[in-house]
Amino acid sequence: MTEALGQDGHGHFSPRAGTPMMPPRAILFDWDNTLVDTWPVIHASLNETFAAMGRPGWTLDQVRANVRKSLRDSFPGLFGQRWEEARDVFYAAFSRQHLTALTVLPGADALVMGLAARGIPLGIVSNKSGDFLRKEVAHLGWNGYFGAVVGAGDAARDKPSPEAGAMALETMGIATGDREGRAVWFVGDSNVDMEIAHAMALLPVLIRPDSGPDGEFDTHPPAHHLADCGALLHFVQGN
């Protein structure tokens, strides 16, 4: 993660030495901050929850830095025995505004359509509640592009545990043997995404402008780091 961003002119860091390279057999995507931006809604909903629980709120930067795991994995640590009450407040706040505030990240439309046009099977594995996630995908008219849309609560355990990813690949008809040589990619913006990729022996691809704080990816490094959706599409088209 030490290369200069954009060194090839398209926002791609060089792959780590020894990384096998082949066109993707299929791609699993994270959702929030990978294809869409819902951070302002998450921020507002979380601060409404903190207020209801008598807790001080977080800044947007704090939310971005700390919101990685699913609600059922993170809220017990945040709110203790009142976590289910906090969950209900958060979901009520989030449901009021998440569709109207949903923003597609620059280049995401072209990325999704371009990959689909190449015949690459696509899926989503997110730590957002499955019901909210599927409503957002449908709201954008993207249902036809994704063979599986798996959110928090859909599998026995949420990301970074591999169950959610395995559910997505099974739904898409991608057998275990098709992953050999890391031909299936997992694309996301966080360490949780890289962790599930390693757990499933998928090719871990980081997509975000910056490389993050030192040490963030030491245990689960990305094979490739691309600046944005446009850089990812160009990278796939070149392989």
Side-chain angles (χ1 to χ4, degrees):
M1 300 292 292
T2 59
E3 306 289 343
L5 185 63
Q7 67 173 34
D8 68 351
H10 298 283
H12 175 229
F13 284 82
S14 293
R16 291 175 177 270
T19 299
M21 191 66 253
M22 62 180 67
R25 167 72 179 83
I27 300 177
L28 296 180
F29 281 96
D30 175 47
W31 184 243
D32 289 307
N33 214 36
T34 297
L35 296 174
V36 300
D37 181 10
T38 56
W39 284 119
V41 178
I42 294 171
H43 179 219
S45 302
L46 191 55
N47 277 349
E48 185 171 329
T49 306
F50 280 135
M53 297 295 106
R55 299 267 301 277
W58 284 355
T59 66
L60 181 57
D61 285 343
Q62 286 176 306
V63 172
R64 286 178 178 272
N66 290 284
V67 175
R68 291 287 183 267
K69 295 186 176 182
S70 66
L71 184 150
R72 68 173 170 176
D73 286 341
S74 60
F75 266 38
L78 282 173
F79 299 105
Q81 293 183 348
R82 299 182 67 192
W83 80 269
E84 291 177 316
E85 180 185 352
R87 173 201 61 196
D88 294 343
V89 173
F90 179 86
Y91 281 157
F94 190 83
S95 65
R96 291 196 305 268
Q97 53 190 320
H98 75 116
L99 294 181
T100 57
L102 185 64
T103 302
V104 176
L105 287 174
D109 273 314
L111 172 64
V112 170
M113 294 175 191
L115 295 176
R118 293 173 68 90
I120 299 172
L122 307 177
I124 298 170
V125 179
S126 171
N127 273 340
K128 171 171 282 174
S129 166
D131 289 340
F132 287 132
L133 175 64
R134 284 181 283 276
K135 287 177 182 178
E136 291 181 4
V137 174
H139 181 74
L140 296 177
W142 284 3
N143 277 336
Y145 296 113
F146 295 100
V149 179
V150 177
D154 292 335
R157 293 191 296 171
D158 301 323
K159 200 170 58 174
S161 295
E163 284 89 340
M167 175 183 286
L169 292 181
E170 182 178 358
T171 302
M172 295 163 65
I174 307 297
T176 300
D178 293 327
R179 308 180 213 166
E180 293 180 359
R182 298 204 290 182
V184 177
W185 298 9
F186 198 106
V187 177
D189 71 298
S190 76
N191 55 343
V192 170
D193 299 315
M194 300 304 98
E195 185 174 347
I196 189 175
H198 280 271
M200 297 182 66
L202 310 183
L203 189 77
V205 179
L206 181 69
I207 178 171
R208 73 186 201 190
D210 62 273
S211 58
D214 289 343
E216 183 177 4
F217 299 103
D218 282 355
T219 58
H220 302 93
H224 301 277
H225 175 196
L226 299 118
D228 51 34
C229 293
L232 177 59
L233 179 59
H234 182 272
F235 183 56
V236 173
Q237 289 172 337
N239 292 284

